[in-house]
């Protein structure tokens, strides 16, 4: 509102905000299926982070509720309509390549380095503090606001499936888990699992091949163990390969076996072109040797159809829509063990005009002579769009434009956010056009100034949305 200087007000909250954010960042809230129980649906880490966030809400006098350790919310205001702010406290695996402990947050050059600092603990905490400011100022509101906290955004969204089954669905809302000015359109999201048998030939054997942490991450690390007649020659050629490839690695010999490791660059699966896929580079090198049968098929698919195939064209699944842009493809999980078999998991972000069944059908047609089976995995999501003339979109863009002086325009992304769970749901920040995006990467960070700017925008936008 014109008579409230939100930018000045948020300055008084900076120290407390950072302290509370550090409390969350110190918790390793990676999903752990091996430790999952009825009490901890996705493992204890995400639940610990959820409880810590809810405790902060209780401390500040808000109403809170935990929904079976899947999700929770912190509530303020009164009225029939509900504004939902949907964030999450789970994080992708830390991976390798960090200069600091990913769960011991540090501030360097006014940036907070930690897993989850930008995706999504930092932005969600900024949105929470925006609500806290409105409460502290005792401003009149005519609607409820709920900061809804999920624990499974990076995997299957089971947290929000559960929450929306047992709690009231917000009438409208946003997710602080993407970019400004606004994300009012999101591509569809689907994954295809390619399956292989585990047979090898005689001249060269692929004992194992492993890469990737999640389908929605570009694999930074890859490792293969091979058995060949001339391991020294393979090692020499590998070192030559490294001279011209944008990767690093090493080869270790043990008799006729060679263990090869490769390091690329991680990136978010919705923007695979920003990463360097260690798995497909490793397969490209190995496919020069005399592998046979299923091992050959595994390597051949990775090199011929997946390597540097960010738009899916090599698979025949490429598609482009005027509003939502082009399909993107990420190949995030690679596993092969001799005699046991293998799999490759591909994740596609697709625009309106195509669908997951069409994508699967083309996978099968293109790879019919290579893979044993190709199937869709669960959890696919259709494209989502909220028009620019919706009052929610208009209000958010107006506040962003007034506070930043920058152009406020609509955007469509390949990433999936909780915003798409609501018919009138969007993603709103917290990354600015000039922010450095390190989501899902080693040395993830978020600039403190960006978080404070986002907090100010969130405070004004939330107040306008719940005071009308």
């Amino acid at each position: 509102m014109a008579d409230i200087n939100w930018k000045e007000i948020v300055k008084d909250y900076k120290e407390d905000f950072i302290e509370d954010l550090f409390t969350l960042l110190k918790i390793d809230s990676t999903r752990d299926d091996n430790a999952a129980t009825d009490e901890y649906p996705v493992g204890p880490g995400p639940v610990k982070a959820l409880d810590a966030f809810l405790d902060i809400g209780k401390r500040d006098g808000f109403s809170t509720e935990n929904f079976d350790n899947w999700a929770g919310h912190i509530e303020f205001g009164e009225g029939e309509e509900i504004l939902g702010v949907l964030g999450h406290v789970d994080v992708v695996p830390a991976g390798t390549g960090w200069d600091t402990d990913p769960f011991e947050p540090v501030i360097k050059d006014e940036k907070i380095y930690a897993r989850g600092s930008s995706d999504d603990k930092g932005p969600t905490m900024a949105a929470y503090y925006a609500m806290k400011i409105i409460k502290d100022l005792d401003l009149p509101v005519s609607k409820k606001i709920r900061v809804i906290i999920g624990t499974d955004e990076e995997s299957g969204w089971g947290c929000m499936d559960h929450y929306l089954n047992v709690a009231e669905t917000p009438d409208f809302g946003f997710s602080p888990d993407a970019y400004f000015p606004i994300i009012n359109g999101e591509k569809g999201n689907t994954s295809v699992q390619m399956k292989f048998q585990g047979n090898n030939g005689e001249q060269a054997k692929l004992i194992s091949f492993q890469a990737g942490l999640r389908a929605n991450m570009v694999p930074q690390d890859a490792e293969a163990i091979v058995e060949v007649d001339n391991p020294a020659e393979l090692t020499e050629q590998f070192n030559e390969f490294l001279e011209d490839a944008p990767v690093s690695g090493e080869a270790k010999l043990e008799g006729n076996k060679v263990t090869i490791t490769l390091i690329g660059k991680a990136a978010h699966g919705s923007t695979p072109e920003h990463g360097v896929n260690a798995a497909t580079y490793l397969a490209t090198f190995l496919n020069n040797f005399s592998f046979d049968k299923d091992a050959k098929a595994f390597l051949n698919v990775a090199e011929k159809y997946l390597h540097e195939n960010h738009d899916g064209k090599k698979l025949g699944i490429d598609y482009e829509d005027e509003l939502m842009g082009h399909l993107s493809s990420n190949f995030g999980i690679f596993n092969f063990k001799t005699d046991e078999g293998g799999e490759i998991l591909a994740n596609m972000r697709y625009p309106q005009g195509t669908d997951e069944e069409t994508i699967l059908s083309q996978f099968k047609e293109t790879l019919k002579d290579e893979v044993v089976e190709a199937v869709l995995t669960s959890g696919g999501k259709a494209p989502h769009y909220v028009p620019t003339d919706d009052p929610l979109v208009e209000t958010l863009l107006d506040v962003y434009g007034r506070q930043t002086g920058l152009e406020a325009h609509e955007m469509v992304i390949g990433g999936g956010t909780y915003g798409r769970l609501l018919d009138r749901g969007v993603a709103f920040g917290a990354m600015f056009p000039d922010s450095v995006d390190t989501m899902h990467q080693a040395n993830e960070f978020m600039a403190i100034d960006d978080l404070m700017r986002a907090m100010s925008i969130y405070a004004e936008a939330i107040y306008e949305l719940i005071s009308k």
Side-chain angles (χ1 to χ4, degrees), residues 65-216:
E65 189 167 355
N66 182 323
F67 295 86
D68 305 307
N69 283 342
W70 272 111
H73 69 221
I74 304 172
E75 183 180 274
F76 170 68
E78 56 187 21
E80 293 185 2
E81 286 189 276
I82 301 173
L83 165 66
V85 178
L86 299 89
H88 65 94
V89 290
D90 61 304
V91 295
V92 296
T96 61
W98 285 78
D99 297 328
T100 59
D101 187 326
F103 298 106
E104 284 295 334
V106 296
I107 297 176
K108 296 188 295 183
D109 300 323
E110 288 302 298
K111 302 178 182 72
I112 300 175
Y113 286 81
R115 179 57 91 216
S117 55
S118 63
D119 185 17
D120 182 39
K121 293 176 181 178
T124 304
M125 185 61 74
Y128 166 76
Y129 261 76
M131 179 177 72
K132 173 177 166 58
I133 289 170
I134 294 170
K135 177 178 178 291
D136 288 351
L137 293 176
D138 198 24
L139 297 174
V141 299
S142 62
K143 302 178 181 68
K144 291 179 181 177
I145 174 175
R146 287 179 178 169
V147 174
I148 303 169
I149 305 155
T151 62
D152 184 34
E153 195 272 349
E154 299 293 0
S155 298
W157 291 25
C159 52
M160 286 301 160
D161 290 341
H162 183 79
Y163 180 85
L164 295 175
N165 279 333
V166 299
E168 294 174 273
T169 299
D171 297 281
F172 59 104
F174 67 86
S175 176
D177 191 19
Y179 311 93
F180 289 120
I182 201 170
I183 305 297
N184 58 316
E186 298 184 12
K187 296 178 184 178
N189 186 335
T190 191
S191 293
V192 173
Q193 181 187 37
M194 294 162 272
K195 300 180 180 181
F196 303 79
Q197 291 183 346
N199 296 317
N200 268 285
E202 297 298 326
Q203 289 183 279
K205 291 186 177 181
L206 182 62
I207 306 302
S208 67
F209 189 114
Q210 187 170 10
L213 298 170
R214 294 281 173 82
N216 63 348

Side-chain angles (χ1 to χ4, degrees), residues 180-182 388 393-402 404-411 428 433:
F180 289 120
I182 201 170
T388 54
V393 177
E394 291 180 334
T395 298
L396 296 179
L397 286 177
D398 181 56
V399 171
Y400 171 83
R402 279 191 278 115
T404 65
L406 300 173
E407 180 186 1
H409 56 84
E410 70 172 343
M411 289 197 299
F428 188 52

Side-chain angles (χ1 to χ4, degrees), residues 170-350:
D171 297 281
F172 59 104
F174 67 86
S175 176
D177 191 19
Y179 311 93
F180 289 120
I182 201 170
I183 305 297
N184 58 316
E186 298 184 12
K187 296 178 184 178
N189 186 335
T190 191
S191 293
V192 173
Q193 181 187 37
M194 294 162 272
K195 300 180 180 181
F196 303 79
Q197 291 183 346
N199 296 317
N200 268 285
E202 297 298 326
Q203 289 183 279
K205 291 186 177 181
L206 182 62
I207 306 302
S208 67
F209 189 114
Q210 187 170 10
L213 298 170
R214 294 281 173 82
N216 63 348
M217 296 176 68
V218 176
Q220 177 170 284
D221 304 287
E223 179 183 277
I225 301 175
V226 301
E227 186 176 305
V228 293
D229 291 335
N230 194 334
E233 180 182 349
L234 182 145
T235 301
E236 181 180 350
Q237 292 186 33
F238 177 68
N239 291 330
E240 292 175 358
F241 172 79
L242 291 179
E243 293 178 3
D244 298 322
V247 292
S248 60
E250 63 176 356
K252 294 182 179 180
L253 282 68
E254 185 180 344
N256 283 346
K257 289 184 179 179
V258 185
T259 299
I260 305 173
T261 57
L262 211 58
I263 301 174
K265 180 185 177 184
H268 197 291
S270 66
T271 53
E273 66 277 9
H274 294 165
V276 177
N277 193 316
T280 63
Y281 269 95
L282 181 54
T284 297
F285 168 71
L286 291 175
N287 205 30
N288 292 313
F289 297 90
S290 300
F291 293 95
D292 199 6
K293 298 182 180 178
D294 301 311
K296 176 67 175 179
F298 180 88
L299 297 172
N300 194 54
V301 166
E303 179 193 11
K304 183 178 179 180
Y305 299 103
L306 311 186
H307 183 56
E308 295 188 330
N309 185 24
H310 307 314
D311 61 2
K313 192 170 185 177
K314 295 178 183 178
L315 287 162
I317 61 173
D318 52 310
Y319 189 87
E320 187 168 0
D321 168 74
E322 184 177 354
L323 174 67
M324 291 192 163
H326 63 83
L327 176 147
S328 66
S329 54
N330 179 60
F331 310 102
I333 301 289
F334 293 74
N335 288 306
F336 184 92
K337 287 187 178 181
T338 186
D339 297 330
E340 294 183 19
E343 68 162 358
I344 301 174
L345 193 58
N347 179 243
M348 278 66 60
R349 313 299 172 102
Y350 62 92

